Amino acid sequence: MRTAYQYKLRPTKQQAVEIDRWLSMLCAQYNYLLADRFNWYEQNRCPINVCPLVCHLPELRDNPDYYSQKKTLPLLKKSHPHYSDIHSQVLQDVVKRVKVTFDRFLSGDSNGKRSGRPRFKPRDRYRTFTYPQMKDDCIQGNLINLPKLGSIKLVLHRPIPTGFKVKTASVTKKADGYYVTLSLEDSTVPTVKPDINPNSITGIDMGLKEFLTTSEGEPIAIPQHYRKSQKRLRVIQKRVSRRKKGSNRRRKAVKQLGKQHKKVADKRKDFHFKTAKQLLSKYDVVVHEDLNVKGLSRTRLAKSVHDAGWSSFLSILANKAENAGLLVIAVNPRNTSQDCSSCGMKVPKKLHERWHSCQCGCSLDRDHNAAINIKNRAVGHSVLKAKSLRAQ
Ligand SMILES: [Zn+2]
């Protein structure tokens, strides 16, 4: 079982300066390696429909890949000796990062979803570096030993669970300081898979008015304090845009803005975790609309305003369920809000119509109706069938 814990770091001034220096060096290296890959395409590509009969071919060189780029690192350290201050594995991880982004661009990730053209990163957008291998005893008391950076103080707000080993560590610079994310693994404990009860099932409809509504008709609202912190974000955003570019006052406001962004993100994450926990403690199976279904209908488009928040919630939900051996199912979202949940007739309604009332006598809140439809679509789902067969 794998999980990740994040702790706040309290580096000394010197250590913070060193981390920043590493980040700027790694950023430069990242951009250089990316450019190296792009250059190959520029030099070795022939637009066939406009190819002149006689053309000059530059000396062909091999397409840079992970291994060939990795081999350049010792040379780099010779020509730019300050790069040897960085831990070698951290430097190698940059090559891997370039490989991953490029692979995703050319051939897509495991789901076949392709990303856009990789972009060069400005200095302040490059915020993380990773140690791909960590020693077991890297944490001593409230100090973490990061090779070549030394022992850095960290706020151990919760202990590392017993039996887990630290696999990798990523240091990130955020608006309000430095953080370390440890990926932990316990190979002795397989993911727990108790027999789930397929009847303990709920559907959730993600909405605009409420954050979500369950098929039992319980709404879960977006907490007030989250809305408040978002309002404050808008105030600060205005402040930034009013101040003169390049001025000190503007720079200060930008810093404030970064901090507020982090606050909003933290609050949202906290809310997502709590909601996921609440749902999974009540139900064994949670069904939701598949957000990745192609062909956005009009209602989907309107909903996409909040998509960013939803997809991160759904990934937290899926992750939590997996760890607890429970089930989360995504179903086709088509017409979930239009169909009647009791007779299946289509009852067209516009987005502002909040109530569903059908000729068959079914009269429900719009989101409640949709949630029931979502739940019903999972009944008979192949995953669920396999599960209940095993339970019998
Ligand atoms: Zn009906």
Side-chain angles (χ1 to χ4, degrees):
M1 182 184 162
R2 252 193 129 116
T3 182
Y5 276 25
Q6 191 172 65
Y7 297 103
K8 182 148 194 180
L9 285 176
R10 292 223 186 282
T12 61
K13 235 180 199 162
Q14 235 177 351
Q15 285 169 333
V17 168
E18 187 67 1
I19 293 175
D20 284 351
R21 198 169 73 95
W22 280 31
L23 281 175
S24 73
M25 278 196 276
L26 292 169
C27 175
Q29 186 57 18
Y30 177 87
N31 287 334
Y32 171 77
L33 293 172
L34 206 58
D36 185 38
R37 293 226 178 192
F38 282 133
N39 281 345
W40 185 85
Y41 282 92
E42 294 298 316
Q43 286 165 8
N44 296 277
R45 180 174 58 182
C46 176
I48 200 72
N49 55 340
V50 288
C51 183
L53 284 175
V54 185
C55 65
H56 167 72
L57 271 179
E59 199 181 320
L60 290 178
R61 67 173 179 132
D62 289 335
N63 191 352
D65 63 0
Y66 176 58
Y67 299 101
S68 73
Q69 289 201 323
K70 215 166 155 180
K71 271 186 201 149
T72 64
L73 293 181
L75 290 175
L76 169 78
K77 281 186 193 170
K78 257 182 204 154
S79 58
H80 300 78
H82 52 280
Y83 270 96
S84 16
D85 295 348
I86 302 177
H87 190 248
S88 58
Q89 288 187 338
V90 173
L91 201 52
Q92 282 166 13
D93 192 70
V94 175
V95 184
K96 197 170 168 195
R97 218 164 133 178
V98 172
K99 171 193 159 31
V100 170
T101 31
F102 229 81
D103 285 354
R104 226 180 270 149
F105 165 53
L106 292 177
S107 50
D109 61 8
S110 55
N111 297 322
K113 215 176 148 191
R114 282 178 61 182
S115 318
R117 188 175 198 260
R119 283 189 289 181
F120 294 112
K121 285 198 191 265
R123 229 325 254 120
D124 53 343
R125 281 283 174 90
Y126 199 90
R127 295 176 200 148
T128 305
F129 59 81
T130 303
Y131 289 92
Q133 278 180 331
M134 286 296 280
K135 281 194 179 136
D136 277 345
D137 54 350
C138 59
I139 294 182
Q140 301 282 356
N142 64 345
L143 291 172
I144 180 164
N145 183 28
L146 297 171
K148 287 229 170 188
L149 277 177
S151 289
I152 298 183
K153 228 184 193 176
L154 84 167
V155 183
L156 211 62
H157 66 278
R158 56 172 174 177
I160 295 205
T162 45
F164 279 86
K165 282 181 178 167
V166 181
K167 288 303 208 185
T168 72
S170 301
V171 178
T172 307
K173 184 181 188 179
K174 295 194 187 183
D176 63 345
Y178 299 87
Y179 290 82
V180 63
T181 309
L182 305 174
S183 112
L184 307 168
E185 192 183 45
D186 188 351
S187 46
T188 57
V189 183
T191 316
V192 244
K193 288 238 187 291
D195 287 329
I196 57 162
N197 175 9
N199 294 321
S200 167
I201 178 172
T202 189
I204 53 173
D205 176 60
M206 325 274 288
L208 287 177
K209 208 174 112 230
E210 309 289 350
F211 179 67
L212 58 85
T213 309
T214 67
S215 52
E216 275 61 48
E218 303 155 289
I220 295 178
I222 297 167
Q224 204 59 43
H225 62 86
Y226 173 69
R227 287 179 193 264
K228 249 188 205 160
S229 64
Q230 246 186 342
K231 244 183 222 161
R232 169 128 181 88
L233 188 68
R234 246 165 277 143
V235 171
I236 300 176
Q237 254 157 358
K238 216 178 262 170
R239 196 175 292 161
V240 169
S241 61
R242 281 206 187 112
R243 292 191 176 168
K244 217 172 122 190
K245 272 194 180 163
S247 70
N248 255 335
R249 278 159 56 73
R250 186 187 164 100
R251 204 167 306 131
K252 250 184 212 166
V254 166
K255 211 167 182 189
Q256 227 178 356
L257 183 65
K259 274 190 186 164
Q260 189 63 23
H261 265 299
K262 169 121 199 318
K263 255 186 207 168
V264 171
D266 284 348
K267 279 191 174 159
R268 187 174 56 210
K269 206 163 142 194
D270 178 62
F271 167 62
H272 286 169
F273 268 102
K274 281 180 179 155
T275 310
K277 193 175 174 195
Q278 193 187 337
L279 281 173
L280 292 170
S281 64
K282 248 182 173 173
Y283 307 100
D284 282 2
V285 186
V286 179
V287 191
H288 64 82
E289 292 173 292
D290 194 348
L291 292 182
N292 294 323
V293 169
K294 294 252 166 72
L296 300 169
S297 69
R298 216 168 45 189
T299 51
R300 297 261 85 222
L301 206 65
K303 279 181 171 186
S304 70
V305 188
H306 286 256
D307 265 2
W310 286 338
S311 51
S312 73
F313 168 70
L314 291 177
S315 74
I316 288 171
L317 186 70
N319 203 296
K320 278 222 166 267
E322 203 193 318
N323 284 346
L326 303 173
L327 208 56
V328 170
I329 301 173
V331 294
N332 190 341
R334 203 184 164 81
N335 288 337
T336 46
S337 59
Q338 310 293 331
D339 292 350
C340 171
S341 58
S342 83
C343 69
M345 263 250 295
K346 196 167 175 184
V347 186
K349 41 180 122 36
K350 293 207 173 91
L351 200 61
H352 64 87
E353 291 172 48
R354 304 304 315 167
W355 202 257
H356 165 85
S357 56
C358 175
Q359 288 169 334
C360 73
C362 174
S363 173
L364 281 173
D365 180 78
R366 173 206 176 97
D367 295 337
H368 186 185
N369 175 61
I372 297 175
N373 278 328
I374 291 167
K375 174 184 162 183
N376 289 343
R377 280 180 195 190
V379 175
H381 196 284
S382 55
V383 186
L384 205 57
K385 261 185 197 159
K387 277 271 176 190
S388 51
L389 272 180
R390 210 177 300 154
Q392 273 167 13

